[in-house]
Amino acid sequence: MSGASILTLVTVFVLAAFVGFEVISKVPSILHTPLMSGTNAIHGVVLVGSILVLGTAHGTAEITLGFIAVVLSTVNVVGGFVVTDRMLQMFKGRSKPGGGSGRS
Amino acid sequence: MSLTTGISLAYLIAAICFILALKGLSGPKTARAGNLLGAAGMALALAMTFATPGLSRFLLIVIAMIIGAVIGWPAARLVKMTAMPQMVAAFNGVGGASAALISLAEFIRGNPSHLAVYQVVEVLFGVIVGCVSFSGSAIAFAKLQELMTGRPVTYPGQQVLNGIVACATLGFALAVCVAPHTWPIVVIAALALVFGVAFVLPIGGADVPVLISLLNSFTGLAVAASGFVLHSVLLVVAGTLVGASGTLLTRMMSSAMGRSLPNILFSAFGSVVTATGSTGELGDRSVRSGSAEDIAVLLAYSQKVVVVPGYGLAVAQAQHVARELAELLEERGIEVTYAIHPVAGRMPGHMNVLLAEANVPYDQLKEMDEANPGFQTADVALVVGANDVVNPAAKNSPGSPIYGMPVLAVDEAKSIVFLKRSMRPGFAGIDNELLFDPKTTLLFGDAKESLTKLVGAVKQL
C-alpha cells in the first residue's frame, strides 16, 4: 500500500487530470446535475483512506479523527450513489404510474 | 500473487470503473449503468481494503460504516426531488471534511518534525481544501434549504476581511512548513473553515448550484491530496478525476447560465439592484390578473401552448397537475410542448428530472435552443413559477445583472400567462418587465392550486 513514491503519485495525478478532462467532453445540460452527483459519489472513495487511517491508528486522537472520517465518508459514498441513482431512475420511469417516487 | 499485489490490482479495476462511470454519466442512455458501475468499483475497492495487511479495529470500522450508512441511505432515499441540490451539497461537505480529517490524522501519527516539506504541503493542501469545501457546502446547504437568506450576504470591508483570512492561512502554512507542529495546523483548519463561509456568503441563491459543482471538484482535489499523504494511488486517481471533471462541469454550468465563473463567485449578484430599488420605478404600474376561467378559455381555444416550468412549479410539487392540464389540452387537439431553460429549477437538468418523474413524454420537452423559435408561432406561453429565465431584461437592458443570460423568448408568444405566487421578484431579485406587458395575464397563487383550478375550468368547457 505504501509502495508508491512521490514521483509515481505525481505521474498518476497528472495523467488522471487529463483523463478527467477528456472523459466528459460533451454533456447535455439535462445530465449536469446527475453527473455532478455521480462525481460527488466517486470522491467518496476517501472512505478507503479513512478505513486505512482508523485501522492503523495509534492513540486516541487518531482513532477519534479516523472514526469520524469513516462515518462521514460512508455518508458521502452511500448517499452519493443512492441519490444519483434516484435522479437517473426518473429518466426512464415512464412505465411507472404517475406517483413516481411517491414521497416527493 | 501476493495479497498486496491483489489489492493493488483490485484498486486498478476500481479506478477503471470510476473512469467508465464518468463516461457513462455523460450520456443519457448510459448514465444509470455508469453510476452503478461506479458503485460496483467502490464496493470492490472497499472490500479489498479490509484485506490490507496490518489493518485492525475491524469492529470499530464496521460500526462507523453502519452509522454512516444509517445516516446516508435514508437521507438519499427520502429527500424530495426538489431538495436534491442541497442534498448533493451535504454529501459533498462530509466528503471534504473526512479528507481534511484523515490528512490531519496522518500528520499527528508520526513525529511531525520528521516530515519532509513536501509531506507537510500535502497535509496542508488536504486540510485547507477539505475544510473550505466542508464549510462552504454547509453554507450552500443552508442557503438552498432556506435556513438562511438566499440573497448575497455582503458587508463593508468584506473583501479586505477575506484577504486577511487568506493571508493568515498562508502565513501559518508557511510557518508549519518551516517548523511542523500540530497546533498551527488546527489553527489553519479553523481559518480555512472561516474562509469557506466567507467565500460562499456573497454568492446569491440562484448561483449556488454552480458553486456546489465547484466545491465538488474542491473535495475531489482534497481527496487526491489525502491520497498523496497516504500514498494511495486509488485516492489520487479518483480524487483527481473528480477534481478535473468537476472543474470542467462547473464551467459548462456557468456557461449554460451565460455567465463567467469569476462573475458568479465575486460579483455579489443582485444585492446592488435590490438596494437601488428598481421596484420603485415599476411599483405604480398595473398588472392584469385574470380568473382561472378566463385563462382556461384562452388555453382551450388556442392551437399551440408552450409551458415554461420554473422553480415555483417544483416547490409546489405541481409537475403532475401540469401534465394533467397538458393532457386535457392535447385531447382538444392542442399542441403542447414544454420549454426547459438550462437552469430551470435550481440546477441544470433539475426540471427534466422533475417532469420525467411526472411521466411527461420526453419528446414534449424542448431544450432552450430548440424551444425559442417555437414561441413566435405559439398562441399561449404558460409560465408556471418561472421568472428570471423568461425576463427580457437579459436581452434588452445592458444594465441588468442578468444581462447576457440566455432566456426563453416568451415575449414573442401571442399571449402570456404567468402563474405566480406573488409579485415578488425571482431568485435573482430583479423585476420582470414582462409582467406589465399588455398581453400578459397573471393568476396569483400557489402553482399547484392554480393549475388544479385551470384543470377544473378546462374540464367545464
Side-chain angles (χ1 to χ4, degrees):
Chain A
M1 201 32 236
S2 58
S5 75
I6 177 75
L7 198 61
T8 316
L9 290 171
V10 172
T11 311
V12 167
F13 174 79
V14 173
L15 294 179
F18 276 100
V19 173
F21 275 120
E22 290 301 319
V23 79
I24 59 150
S25 51
K26 283 191 288 291
V27 186
S29 68
I30 58 161
L31 280 174
H32 283 177
T33 302
L35 178 61
M36 169 161 94
S37 182
T39 54
N40 178 43
I42 288 173
H43 69 51
V45 76
V46 69
L47 176 55
V48 167
S50 308
I51 291 174
L52 292 174
V53 167
L54 179 56
T56 59
H58 309 282
T60 324
E62 283 165 56
I63 294 174
T64 314
L65 291 175
F67 187 83
I68 300 171
V70 173
V71 173
L72 294 182
S73 38
T74 310
V75 173
N76 186 176
V77 173
V78 174
F81 281 114
V82 172
V83 104
T84 311
D85 193 55
R86 255 188 80 196
M87 282 182 205
L88 294 170
Q89 258 176 352
M90 298 303 161
F91 286 102
K92 46 161 255 177
R94 293 266 310 274
S95 54
K96 283 192 299 181
S101 75
R103 287 183 190 88
S104 48
Chain B
M1 188 170 75
S2 77
L3 188 57
T4 16
T5 318
I7 294 173
S8 300
L9 270 178
Y11 284 171
L12 175 63
I13 295 169
I16 294 170
C17 286
F18 294 157
I19 295 170
L20 294 176
L22 286 182
K23 191 157 184 57
L25 279 166
S26 11
K29 290 211 176 69
T30 50
R32 197 162 179 218
N35 185 50
L36 293 176
L37 188 63
M42 188 69 73
L44 174 70
L46 289 174
M48 291 309 280
T49 303
F50 278 94
T52 307
L55 200 73
S56 58
R57 272 188 216 99
F58 291 104
L59 185 64
L60 201 58
I61 294 173
V62 171
I63 291 173
M65 288 178 72
I66 290 172
I67 296 174
V70 165
I71 300 169
W73 181 283
R77 292 297 324 169
L78 301 181
V79 64
K80 287 181 184 167
M81 273 296 162
T82 43
M84 224 43 122
Q86 51 266 50
M87 204 70 236
V88 176
F91 293 147
N92 178 57
V94 294
S98 49
L101 288 176
I102 60 178
S103 297
L104 185 61
E106 280 302 292
F107 184 78
I108 61 177
R109 169 189 298 269
N111 186 345
S113 56
H114 290 170
L115 292 174
V117 172
Y118 79 87
Q119 289 170 308
V120 178
V121 172
E122 291 166 359
V123 169
L124 283 172
F125 196 84
V127 169
I128 294 174
V129 180
C131 285
V132 169
S133 186
F134 172 69
S135 62
S137 300
I139 299 295
F141 178 87
K143 285 197 175 210
L144 290 180
Q145 191 70 29
E146 284 164 13
L147 299 175
M148 60 175 288
T149 171
R151 298 227 172 282
V153 177
T154 50
Y155 43 86
Q158 193 165 23
Q159 302 293 358
V160 179
L161 198 72
N162 292 359
I164 291 173
V165 174
C167 289
T169 313
L170 283 179
F172 275 101
L174 281 176
V176 171
C177 288
V178 177
H181 293 294
T182 306
W183 69 265
I185 297 251
V186 176
V187 175
I188 287 170
L191 284 170
L193 287 173
V194 173
F195 187 76
V197 173
F199 176 64
V200 176
L201 277 181
I203 296 171
D207 294 328
V208 166
V210 178
L211 174 85
I212 296 174
S213 176
L214 184 71
L215 292 173
N216 184 41
S217 62
F218 279 9
T219 304
L221 292 177
V223 171
S226 57
F228 274 93
V229 175
L230 294 167
H231 302 281
S232 164
V233 176
L234 179 66
L235 260 62
V236 173
V237 171
T240 313
L241 277 175
V242 175
S245 59
T247 310
L248 199 61
L249 181 61
T250 309
R251 280 179 45 200
M252 287 195 238
M253 280 189 180
S254 50
S255 70
M257 297 173 77
R259 325 234 331 260
S260 74
L261 194 53
N263 182 254
I264 286 175
L265 296 181
F266 304 116
S267 66
F269 189 71
S271 57
V272 189
V273 183
T274 43
T276 55
S278 53
T279 35
E281 298 160 29
L282 300 171
D284 302 333
R285 292 162 56 183
S286 62
V287 296
R288 186 158 61 107
S289 67
S291 68
E293 287 71 26
D294 299 338
I295 294 167
V297 171
L298 182 66
L299 290 171
Y301 294 98
S302 57
Q303 284 170 352
K304 189 176 165 192
V305 173
V306 183
V307 181
V308 180
Y311 187 69
L313 177 138
V315 275
Q317 302 290 339
Q319 59 269 40
H320 299 285
V321 198
R323 188 214 49 206
E324 208 183 325
L325 178 64
E327 281 172 356
L328 273 178
L329 295 176
E330 282 182 312
E331 281 167 21
R332 304 178 71 101
I334 302 164
E335 183 191 345
V336 182
T337 54
Y338 296 79
I340 317 278
H341 191 271
V343 293
R346 278 204 175 161
M347 282 185 150
H350 194 192
M351 190 54 67
N352 301 65
V353 172
L354 293 173
L355 291 174
E357 186 199 8
N359 295 330
V360 171
Y362 244 144
D363 47 8
Q364 289 185 3
L365 304 184
K366 306 287 182 203
E367 301 273 318
M368 184 172 60
D369 294 338
E370 198 187 345
N372 267 347
F375 281 110
Q376 284 168 9
T377 56
D379 296 301
V380 184
L382 178 63
V383 183
V384 188
N387 193 359
D388 297 329
V389 297
V390 298
N391 194 339
K395 285 189 290 188
N396 308 332
S397 77
S400 169
I402 59 166
Y403 184 69
M405 180 174 97
V407 286
L408 290 163
V410 169
D411 48 336
E412 289 172 8
K414 286 199 193 74
S415 50
I416 308 164
V417 175
F418 270 94
L419 305 186
K420 265 179 84 58
R421 254 203 315 223
S422 64
M423 282 302 286
R424 230 164 45 124
F427 228 33
I430 305 153
D431 273 313
N432 192 342
E433 277 284 327
L434 213 51
L435 296 174
F436 307 96
D437 196 290
K439 64 183 176 185
T440 299
T441 314
L442 286 101
L443 177 57
F444 289 113
D446 170 80
K448 192 172 188 175
E449 282 168 23
S450 298
L451 283 170
T452 314
K453 278 188 218 154
L454 284 180
V455 168
V458 170
K459 276 184 185 158
Q460 297 292 314
L461 292 171

